Amino acid sequence: MTTVLERVRSGREAAGERWRGAPRWVRWALLVAVIAFFYALPNREFYQYLGPIPTPGANFTQVLFTVSIYVLLAVGLNIVVGFAGLLDLGYFGFFAVGAYTVAVLTSPSSNVKTLWPWLLVVPLAIGLTMLSGVMLGTPTLRLRGDYLAIVTLGFAEMIRIAAVSSDFLKGQRGFNQIPHPPGKYADGKPFFGVLDARPYYWLVLTLIILVVIGVRNLTHSRVGRAWISIREDEDAAQLMGVPTFKFKLWAFASGAAIAGLAGALFAGKQNFVNSQNFELLNSIIILAAVIFGGSGNIVGAIVGGGLVAYMIERFRGIELFGVELYEYRFLIFGLVLVVMMIFRPEGLIPNRRRAAEFKDRRKEVIVGE
């Protein structure tokens, strides 16, 4: 078994080297082809030829929208966990802040009664979510490891309990008639309607591309190098003159802003927001997606977020020996994670530094044996 796994790892490393050594135009052409594939994916004329990929028990375009939201959240959490090395178990709380900001300021059922248009509220939702990240991070980012994880877990629970018990946030009754994003066809029909999820998916996919470009540029800047130094050894980074608290707060705020954007998009699509949309389990799933795909790698976070969201929805409508597998989706998901952590703990597509660390550890284990 060990020999087989080593051969698989060697093959993946060789493929990675070939990719990095390929001409720039080849990499760009492949990237454009992948992006075109995902833009074409929600069209029935296209996905009907993809065999078992479409979900039989759920609307495939709706599943794609859910997958795209998870991918956006995974990219944001990857900044906090993957680049800065901060264990955040309450990330979905920022998603809730973004969604509720849109709901409170746009819904007719809100006590505020402002009825602002969706597009005007989105920047405000991102700003408020970033501010909540700064407010949470300022007193807590001096903590590390498990202690920080417990504090962020408490934050998510505070948001959930406030959503359930506060009359202002409407509890399970929620906010209805949240406006959709603007846009109309030539005949006056709204581009973002109720039944067709494709425009929402295309909108989120476009924003994912823009966010990935921004995050990639940020991680290749002085800020990204500071995050990596903090992740590797915070004490050493501080001794070398890196203002660790400032850059950790920056990572927290950046990740929160992306979660707030995802929450605003979710509210605009669903047209309804209530407390049941923001369970703690969702935070755990997003964190598992980042680790599953490869913490510290943007492509890994995208793959992890997409696969985890798709994996959970794929079992809907499938029966085995008279038992619907969707009821046991989290059991199956947990088993997959356990197997993954045993045989490939660095994730599907880890960054090179993390992959090298795990490779060295495996060599030490083999030598020790």
Side-chain angles (χ1 to χ4, degrees):
M1 176 65 74
T2 304
T3 305
V4 173
L5 290 174
E6 288 298 329
R7 288 177 180 175
V8 172
R9 292 189 184 104
S10 300
R12 287 174 176 169
E13 291 172 3
E17 291 297 329
R18 286 196 297 270
W19 167 256
R20 287 187 287 271
R24 182 182 292 269
W25 69 268
V26 172
R27 287 183 287 174
W28 274 106
L30 184 58
L31 182 61
V32 170
V34 170
I35 292 174
F37 171 83
F38 282 106
Y39 270 104
L41 190 56
N43 294 308
R44 185 178 183 84
E45 297 80 9
F46 181 75
Y47 70 70
Q48 64 180 348
Y49 299 107
L50 298 181
I53 291 180
T55 50
N59 187 308
F60 187 54
T61 55
Q62 177 61 46
V63 171
L64 287 177
F65 171 77
T66 303
V67 168
S68 64
I69 290 292
Y70 271 74
V71 168
L72 188 58
L73 287 168
V75 171
L77 184 58
N78 189 50
I79 295 176
V80 182
V81 176
F83 293 129
L86 306 172
L87 185 55
D88 187 352
L89 292 180
Y91 188 69
F92 217 73
F94 297 121
F95 177 82
V97 171
Y100 269 114
T101 300
V102 172
V104 168
L105 295 177
T106 63
S107 173
S109 59
S110 169
N111 296 338
V112 178
K113 305 295 183 184
T114 52
L115 302 181
W116 288 3
W118 180 86
L119 192 60
L120 183 63
V121 177
V122 170
L124 184 58
I126 296 172
L128 286 177
T129 312
M130 184 180 292
L131 179 62
S132 68
V134 172
M135 291 175 62
L136 174 65
T138 299
T140 62
L141 282 178
R142 303 188 193 281
L143 302 174
R144 301 183 188 180
D146 299 340
Y147 302 101
L148 179 61
I150 292 171
V151 170
T152 56
L153 182 64
F155 166 74
E157 278 298 283
M158 287 169 56
I159 297 295
R160 187 188 66 82
I161 292 171
V164 170
S165 59
S166 171
D167 183 64
F168 181 73
L169 297 180
K170 303 296 182 181
Q172 293 189 1
R173 290 176 297 155
F175 298 89
N176 56 20
Q177 299 182 40
I178 298 173
H180 298 296
K184 293 183 179 181
Y185 290 104
D187 59 358
K189 182 181 178 182
F191 186 67
F192 295 94
V194 177
L195 300 178
D196 189 3
R198 290 181 301 171
Y200 300 96
Y201 166 75
W202 287 325
L203 174 62
V204 180
L205 181 59
T206 303
L207 289 173
I208 288 172
I209 294 171
L210 295 176
V211 168
V212 166
I213 293 172
V215 171
R216 186 179 182 279
N217 290 337
L218 196 59
T219 54
H220 284 77
S221 68
R222 183 171 64 94
V223 176
R225 290 191 292 271
W227 286 341
I228 293 173
S229 67
I230 293 170
R231 181 191 68 194
E232 297 301 320
D233 193 327
E234 184 175 344
D235 293 328
Q238 199 162 12
L239 289 173
M240 293 299 293
V242 177
T244 55
F245 178 77
K246 168 187 170 182
F247 284 110
K248 287 197 295 182
L249 196 60
W250 197 329
F252 230 61
S254 300
I258 295 174
L261 172 62
L265 292 166
F266 174 81
K269 161 66 175 67
Q270 295 299 106
N271 195 232
F272 175 78
V273 168
N274 72 349
S275 58
Q276 291 184 330
N277 298 130
F278 310 107
E279 297 293 333
L280 174 62
L281 178 62
N282 294 313
S283 289
I284 307 302
I285 290 174
I286 298 300
L287 178 61
V290 173
I291 297 173
F292 182 79
S295 179
N297 189 334
I298 297 175
V299 177
I302 292 172
V303 172
L307 282 179
V308 166
Y310 175 76
M311 189 189 311
I312 292 173
E313 291 293 330
R314 188 63 182 82
F315 295 110
R316 193 186 296 271
I318 298 178
E319 291 188 2
L320 183 65
F321 303 115
V323 177
E324 188 170 353
L325 293 182
Y326 186 74
E327 297 295 328
Y328 299 93
R329 62 194 183 281
F330 292 118
L331 173 63
I332 299 170
F333 174 56
L335 291 174
V336 171
L337 282 181
V338 169
V339 172
M340 185 71 185
M341 291 302 101
I342 292 173
F343 295 109
R344 193 170 176 79
E346 66 269 34
L348 290 174
I349 311 176
N351 63 48
R352 280 178 284 178
R353 186 189 301 271
R354 188 169 175 82
E357 289 174 0
F358 278 95
K359 186 176 181 180
D360 291 339
R361 291 178 189 176
R362 283 192 292 268
K363 287 181 179 179
E364 290 175 2
V365 171
I366 292 173
V367 171
E369 292 175 351

